[in-house]
Amino acid sequence: IGGLSGSGKSSLAAAIAHALGPAPGARVLSSDRIRKRLCGVPAESKLPEGAYRPDLSEQVYAEQAARAEHLARDGCAVIADAVFEREDCRERIEQCAARAMVPFGGFWLEAQPAQLFTRVSRRTNDPSDANERIVRTQLDRQRDVKRWTHIDAGGPAEETAAFVLRFLDG
């Protein structure tokens, strides 16, 4: 699940995980939580901007993909939750599914900028460090996301989850 900060990725992952794969459901691999673990802090701790330098971000995405592939090979359903704004990051997570010989479905969540700003400003005790400035930066460099299913995530989280589950049921 990818999308700009505030698009509802983590909410969607939490809402659908129970319905995917064998019980107890899919494992959610959150880039925010992986980054916090790599930095040695609790998930709800705020990190300085230096924790988002390219080399650490590369390490976060590489670990997420490696863990996803390992879990998929073991028969677990996996939800990778990250911004995935770069093509190479999306390609990496797709390839780990291919190597594990499991189906892949990429979902790109979209919401209006004002909604993204509101959502990130309302977060408390959340693993994400995104704020309005970060969302503006993401909006400025947003690229066209191909091959992933674009989902309107502007409504209530429950509606987005219901739509995605119907989509997955075929």
Side-chain angles (χ1 to χ4, degrees):
I1 300 173
L4 303 185
S5 295
S7 61
K9 300 176 299 294
S10 297
S11 296
L12 176 60
I16 68 172
H18 73 281
L20 303 177
R27 288 284 310 271
V28 177
L29 301 177
S30 162
S31 63
D32 291 323
R33 290 181 180 279
I34 293 169
R35 184 180 308 274
K36 299 296 172 86
R37 187 180 53 70
L38 290 173
C39 290
V41 301
E44 292 76 24
S45 296
K46 295 294 180 198
L47 291 172
E49 284 191 36
Y52 289 85
R53 63 188 189 273
D55 64 314
L56 186 55
S57 292
E58 172 62 25
Q59 189 178 353
V60 168
Y61 279 94
E63 180 169 326
Q64 183 184 50
R67 288 175 60 194
E69 183 173 342
H70 175 78
L71 288 165
R73 286 181 188 273
D74 284 349
C76 296
V78 178
I79 298 174
D81 161 12
V83 173
F84 288 116
E85 69 180 333
R86 291 185 8 232
E87 175 83 25
D88 63 316
C89 292
R90 293 190 301 275
E91 180 70 25
R92 179 185 350 227
I93 203 71
E94 290 177 36
Q95 289 303 313
C96 80
R99 285 189 303 273
M101 295 184 284
V102 297
F104 176 84
F107 294 97
W108 182 260
L109 304 187
E110 297 176 330
Q112 292 298 313
Q115 196 161 34
L116 301 174
F117 298 140
T118 298
R119 287 175 177 173
V120 298
S121 69
R122 289 184 179 164
R123 290 177 175 162
T124 57
N125 295 322
D126 190 277
S128 174
D129 291 325
N131 56 32
E132 286 190 32
R133 185 183 55 73
I134 290 168
V135 172
R136 286 186 198 287
T137 300
Q138 291 173 349
L139 286 165
D140 287 345
R141 65 179 180 232
Q142 186 174 3
R143 309 269 189 314
D144 183 32
V145 176
K146 297 177 177 76
R147 295 192 318 266
W148 286 29
T149 302
H150 290 244
I151 304 291
D152 178 358
E158 306 81 40
E159 287 180 16
T160 303
F163 177 82
V164 169
L165 288 174
R166 282 193 308 273
F167 182 90
L168 290 170
D169 283 343

